[in-house]
Amino acid sequence: MDLVINKVGLNGVIDIPSDKSISHRSIMFGAIAEGQTTIRNFLRGDDCLSTLKAFQDLGVKIEDDGEVITVHGAGFSGLKPAKQAIDVGNSGTTIRLIMGILAGTSFTTELFGDHSIAKRPMNRVILPINQMGAVCTGHDGTEFPPLTVKGTEKLSPIHYQMPVASAQVKSAILFAALQAHGESVIVEKEKTRDHTEDMIRQFGGDISVSGKEIRISGPQKLVGQEVVVPGDISSAAFFLTAGLIIPDSKITLKNVGLNPTRTGIIDVIQQMGGKLLVQESGSEANKAGTLTVETSDLKGIEISGEIIPRLIDELPIIALLATQAEGTTIIRDAEELKVKETNRIDAVATELNKMGAKIEPTDDGLIIHGKTPLNGANVTSYGDHRIGMMLQIAALLVESGKVELDKAEAISVSYPRFFDDLTKLYR
């Protein structure tokens, strides 16, 4: 499709879509808790709907009246064998986290997804789950989907030093540990988003976190709750960037989740000299706020180390931000970008360079030379929603030519109304 080429500033107020990570987990926790869970402001994007359908396939009654989702949980023991293999679509969160839940069942489940999922490495979850007593295997003896998960009701606890900084892997192990007999200890490589830990507490579970060490004993029973999902800062990142780099712009984003393990992009914007106003609201356990950005003169910085897990999903749009900053921006320690929906290191460099950017891919990140004008080009999302949205924001900077995006439909995975919100701002 032809992307919007903007000739005026972006101005206005928009409500950001609901948080994808919390939406996934709200269905999962509702399914494994005992009693009724109600979910408000659920993200009805393709990925989260894959999670909802997966648990319906496992025998959980889930009702959606268009406003509120009601999950009738019966505990871990209430899950039933699926009548056929479960399709997770494009959702890495669904397939990885559900493996931890299935690890403690008394039955075998098959999981598969689209062509992108078939390329996602799964040993990072398979190895610890199997160490706990389940039997997870990939296609033809590999680590890649389709997967088979043979659960056991006699899961053993684990002491696990995580080799990668991944909230998905951590969450899968935590779901298994809730069903194991004894105390499990998980030590993170770097602190990652902690929605799973927060929701264990919200649903009445017991978990202890000290720095990078997590302790959790099982088996535990959880109780249904009411969940109100805040806006997704990962979706907000695209319009935060647009407001900073499109001339004559000022954008206000409402109800954005501000969990400290997710707000690395705010730190980066402030370090680069961006004009950003943060007005916090919500509770200590469920922080949210209103963010306002306006066109700014930016400077290049280095982004590395412990901040990387706090903005891993935002790095593609941060790379675009850096193309409009004076000087060089260096991103390091971001190897995890290679195993997302696509290799985002290569995808970002290849597609933005087509448009005139000066970006060098490295083994663990990117070197971005700014400030560079961008031109029209034929580009692709590679079927990756975040690459697709980043390229549309890039197209707003183009002075001549047009930008044609292949596989634009991928954007619906996390932000179904993305183009509608964009239209609202530039009109």
Side-chain angles (χ1 to χ4, degrees):
M1 66 175 291
D2 288 348
L3 296 184
V4 177
I5 305 295
N6 189 49
K7 300 301 182 185
V8 295
L10 299 178
N11 290 274
V13 180
I14 56 175
D15 289 305
I16 287 299
S18 309
D19 189 284
K20 189 154 87 74
S21 295
I22 297 175
S23 293
H24 278 299
R25 287 162 174 79
S26 65
I27 295 289
M28 294 178 181
F29 275 98
I32 62 178
E34 297 181 357
Q36 181 173 294
T37 291
T38 56
I39 307 166
R40 302 180 188 278
N41 205 31
F42 179 81
L43 176 65
R44 289 171 177 79
D46 295 347
D47 272 12
C48 296
L49 292 174
S50 291
T51 290
L52 189 155
K53 177 63 165 56
F55 282 92
Q56 288 178 324
D57 290 347
L58 290 167
V60 180
K61 183 181 178 182
I62 304 176
E63 300 167 318
D64 182 1
D65 67 6
E67 292 290 331
V68 177
I69 290 177
T70 304
V71 184
H72 300 273
F76 283 105
S77 62
L79 299 177
K80 306 298 182 185
K83 294 180 180 179
Q84 56 193 14
I86 293 175
D87 183 0
V88 304
N90 183 249
S91 179
T93 301
T94 305
I95 195 168
R96 286 186 173 137
L97 271 62
I98 206 171
M99 289 168 67
I101 292 172
L102 294 171
T105 63
S106 59
F107 49 83
T108 298
T109 306
E110 295 182 14
L111 304 167
F112 73 99
D114 66 8
H115 68 282
S116 172
I117 287 294
K119 299 175 183 177
R120 304 285 287 272
M122 294 294 162
N123 268 348
R124 52 189 51 196
V125 178
I126 290 173
L127 296 177
I129 294 300
N130 285 358
Q131 192 176 324
M132 298 175 77
V135 180
C136 305
T137 54
H139 179 63
D140 287 341
T142 70
E143 66 171 305
F144 300 102
L147 302 174
T148 299
V149 183
K150 182 179 180 181
T152 175
E153 294 178 302
K154 297 181 180 179
L155 278 180
S156 301
I158 191 172
H159 192 298
Y160 195 67
Q161 186 93 28
M162 290 187 55
V164 295
S166 169
Q168 290 181 359
V169 178
K170 174 182 65 175
S171 297
I173 300 171
L174 287 173
F175 277 127
L178 283 168
Q179 305 169 79
H181 295 265
E183 184 184 63
S184 293
V185 180
I186 303 165
V187 182
E188 293 197 80
K189 183 178 180 181
E190 296 288 354
K191 186 73 174 172
T192 62
R193 63 186 64 179
D194 59 3
H195 300 304
T196 302
E197 295 96 308
D198 284 346
M199 294 181 81
I200 287 173
R201 297 185 190 99
Q202 180 183 358
F203 280 76
D206 185 36
I207 185 170
S208 171
V209 181
S210 178
K212 297 176 184 177
E213 182 181 273
I214 303 167
R215 292 181 176 269
I216 182 168
S217 294
Q220 295 193 37
K221 290 185 177 181
L222 304 176
V223 180
Q225 301 291 317
E226 180 176 1
V227 179
V228 181
V229 184
D232 196 326
I233 195 167
S234 295
S235 295
F238 298 97
F239 289 115
L240 289 175
T241 296
L244 291 165
I245 63 177
I246 305 300
D248 303 318
S249 295
K250 185 174 183 179
I251 301 174
T252 296
L253 309 174
K254 298 170 62 178
N255 188 38
V256 180
L258 296 177
N259 180 306
T261 62
R262 296 282 301 280
T263 54
I265 187 170
I266 291 178
D267 296 347
V268 164
I269 289 170
Q270 291 170 337
Q271 291 169 24
M272 295 180 80
K275 298 176 183 177
L276 169 64
L277 174 64
V278 181
Q279 297 169 289
E280 290 191 13
S281 59
S283 65
E284 186 66 26
N286 192 20
K287 288 186 176 180
T290 298
L291 307 182
T292 301
V293 290
E294 55 186 296
T295 309
S296 304
D297 294 323
L298 305 170
K299 62 182 180 182
I301 61 172
E302 179 169 331
I303 306 168
S304 61
E306 64 182 15
I307 197 174
I308 292 295
R310 295 178 55 224
L311 46 62
I312 190 70
D313 287 336
E314 291 73 72
L315 284 173
I317 193 65
I318 288 173
L320 173 64
L321 187 69
T323 68
Q324 303 307 304
E326 293 293 342
T328 300
T329 295
I330 300 173
I331 299 172
R332 306 185 196 275
D333 305 319
E335 303 95 330
E336 196 69 10
L337 286 176
K338 294 180 178 180
V339 292
K340 293 290 186 177
E341 282 81 341
T342 187
N343 181 332
R344 287 180 176 166
I345 290 177
D346 289 348
V348 166
T350 299
E351 301 311 305
L352 285 179
N353 284 347
K354 286 180 185 176
M355 299 178 69
K358 297 177 182 177
I359 301 177
E360 304 168 40
T362 67
D363 287 341
D364 66 346
L366 298 159
I367 301 171
I368 304 136
H369 304 282
K371 181 177 181 180
T372 55
L374 299 182
N375 310 306
N378 292 336
V379 293
T380 180
S381 75
Y382 300 89
D384 185 326
H385 55 124
R386 299 199 196 281
I387 299 297
M389 287 184 280
M390 179 273 290
L391 290 169
Q392 169 57 90
I393 301 304
L396 300 177
L397 292 164
V398 169
E399 291 294 330
S400 61
K402 70 176 184 177
V403 181
E404 185 170 329
L405 175 63
D406 184 40
K407 300 182 179 178
E409 66 277 3
I411 289 170
S412 68
V413 161
S414 64
Y415 202 152
R417 66 171 194 265
F418 175 74
F419 290 106
D420 292 336
D421 282 350
L422 176 63
T423 300
K424 177 180 176 182
L425 289 172
Y426 83 79
R427 285 184 176 173

